[in-house]
């Protein structure tokens, strides 16, 4: 009885790991210098170029954008490759061919001001946290959990 459950669990695990392993193999091919079009054609996949993809845009998905921007910056003339899981369990493979630093001057004035305020709030919160941590080191503080 248990044997069949173990076998079923192992098969399910292998079924879930197979797409990730296949995607990893494609990433290694891209890292080896093979062209994205050739890699995609070899597995019957399509290439979907996303030139100039901005950070934080939920395209093709928020998870994909995070994975793409978490990739290391590509070396000159090379591509940085990676993969991410799609909601349906499949994997997408990507290659970053260039990285462009942001230019605040290109943002409209109201967006720059909003970003400046957000950074000021973040900086202020970090300063408060640092101050509180330092003060706590110099005093004996007892936190009464029942009062929180």
């Amino acid at each position: 009885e248990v044997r069949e459950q173990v076998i079923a669990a192992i098969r399910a695990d292998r079924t879930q790991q197979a797409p990730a392993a296949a995607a990893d193999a494609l990433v290694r091919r891209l890292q080896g210098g093979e062209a994205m079009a050739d890699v995609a054609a070899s597995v019957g996949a399509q290439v979907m170029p996303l030139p100039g993809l901005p950070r934080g845009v939920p395209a093709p998905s928020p998870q994909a954008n995070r994975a793409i921007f978490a990739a290391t910056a590509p070396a000159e003339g090379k591509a940085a490759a990676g993969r991410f899981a799609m909601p349906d369990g499949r994997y997408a493979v990507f290659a970053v061919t260039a990285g462009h630093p942001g230019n605040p001057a290109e943002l409209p004035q109201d967006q720059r001001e909003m970003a400046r305020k957000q950074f000021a709030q973040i900086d202020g919160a970090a300063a408060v946290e640092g101050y509180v941590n330092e003060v706590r080191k110099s005093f004996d503080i007892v936190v009464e959990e029942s009062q929180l």
Side-chain angles (χ1 to χ4, degrees), residues 110-143:
D110 58 333
Q111 287 182 353
R112 275 189 277 172
E113 188 59 34
M114 183 173 56
R116 190 175 295 117
K117 287 179 183 178
Q118 287 174 342
F119 288 135
Q121 287 176 341
I122 291 168
D123 188 43
V128 167
E129 184 178 354
Y131 173 75
V132 169
N133 289 338
E134 287 302 314
V135 168
R136 284 186 173 175
K137 288 178 185 176
S138 62
F139 293 103
D140 290 332
I141 297 176
V142 177
V143 177

Side-chain angles (χ1 to χ4, degrees), residues 12-140:
D13 186 54
R14 286 181 182 164
T15 301
Q16 289 175 347
Q17 290 181 7
D24 287 338
L26 297 177
V27 168
R28 284 191 297 276
R29 288 173 59 187
L30 290 168
Q31 290 170 335
E34 205 169 332
M36 175 63 88
D38 295 338
V39 171
S42 72
V43 293
Q46 295 178 335
V47 175
M48 185 175 76
L50 296 171
L53 179 68
R55 182 184 300 268
V57 173
S61 72
Q63 297 82 2
N65 192 280
R66 281 193 295 275
I68 291 167
F69 279 92
T72 57
E76 188 66 34
K78 301 259 184 183
R83 67 167 170 87
F84 58 88
M86 296 173 41
D88 63 2
R90 296 180 301 152
Y91 282 82
V93 174
F94 64 87
V96 178
T97 56
H100 306 285
N103 183 356
E106 293 176 357
L107 285 175
Q109 181 61 33
D110 58 333
Q111 287 182 353
R112 275 189 277 172
E113 188 59 34
M114 183 173 56
R116 190 175 295 117
K117 287 179 183 178
Q118 287 174 342
F119 288 135
Q121 287 176 341
I122 291 168
D123 188 43
V128 167
E129 184 178 354
Y131 173 75
V132 169
N133 289 338
E134 287 302 314
V135 168
R136 284 186 173 175
K137 288 178 185 176
S138 62
F139 293 103
D140 290 332

